[in-house]
Amino acid sequence: MEKYREPIVYVIVGVIVTAVDYVVYSLLVKFAGLGVTPSNVVAWIAAVGVAYILNRKYVFMSKTSGAGEILKEVVEFVAGRLFSGAVVVILVPLLMKLGITQMLFGVEGFVAKIAASIIGLILNYFISKFWVFK
């Protein structure tokens, strides 16, 4: 079981982070009256913050200490998430142009979105494992 601990905990953390993203977004849109874009930005920031803390402590068990080293780790983590986010944003229309346009839940191209999200998840894991929390 120890062999698979890291990827299993990574997926669990991913579920928690996704829930944070969706809950913050929903609360801001529905109850705070913020628009879709500002709510999405704030929710993404909250999710990345939670992702950093949980990945640092529970997934990769970082031993980094000192303000400068931790700041470097945070910057690398955010940079990695911005990069993977850009990859996902680019992949969805690209996959749709390649013919992955199947509907799911009545949404055209949702299968492409899921495929791109899985690629983003895998990319985030490797960025975190081999660059941020090495």
Side-chain angles (χ1 to χ4, degrees), residues 88-128:
V88 170
V89 167
I90 292 166
L91 269 178
V92 173
L94 178 63
L95 291 172
M96 289 181 72
K97 284 183 183 175
L98 293 173
I100 302 174
T101 58
Q102 296 81 358
M103 284 215 278
L104 192 60
F105 307 118
V107 179
E108 182 183 6
F110 202 80
V111 172
K113 173 70 172 162
I114 291 170
S117 294
I118 291 168
I119 291 167
L121 177 78
I122 294 166
L123 187 56
N124 281 332
Y125 178 78
F126 285 105
I127 288 170
S128 292

Side-chain angles (χ1 to χ4, degrees), residues 36-122:
V36 170
T37 300
S39 295
N40 204 27
V41 169
V42 172
W44 183 85
I45 291 168
V48 169
V50 169
Y52 170 74
I53 293 166
L54 296 179
N55 277 290
R56 180 180 203 282
K57 183 170 177 129
Y58 298 108
V59 178
F60 301 105
M61 295 183 286
S62 174
K63 304 293 186 232
T64 301
S65 62
E69 288 297 310
I70 291 172
L71 179 61
K72 179 180 180 279
E73 197 176 73
V74 169
V75 168
E76 289 174 348
F77 188 84
V78 172
R81 293 298 167 117
L82 286 169
F83 173 74
S84 66
V87 168
V88 170
V89 167
I90 292 166
L91 269 178
V92 173
L94 178 63
L95 291 172
M96 289 181 72
K97 284 183 183 175
L98 293 173
I100 302 174
T101 58
Q102 296 81 358
M103 284 215 278
L104 192 60
F105 307 118
V107 179
E108 182 183 6
F110 202 80
V111 172
K113 173 70 172 162
I114 291 170
S117 294
I118 291 168
I119 291 167
L121 177 78
I122 294 166

Side-chain angles (χ1 to χ4, degrees), residues 12-25:
I12 293 167
V13 165
V15 170
I16 293 167
V17 169
T18 301
V20 167
D21 184 20
Y22 288 9
V23 167
V24 170
Y25 173 80

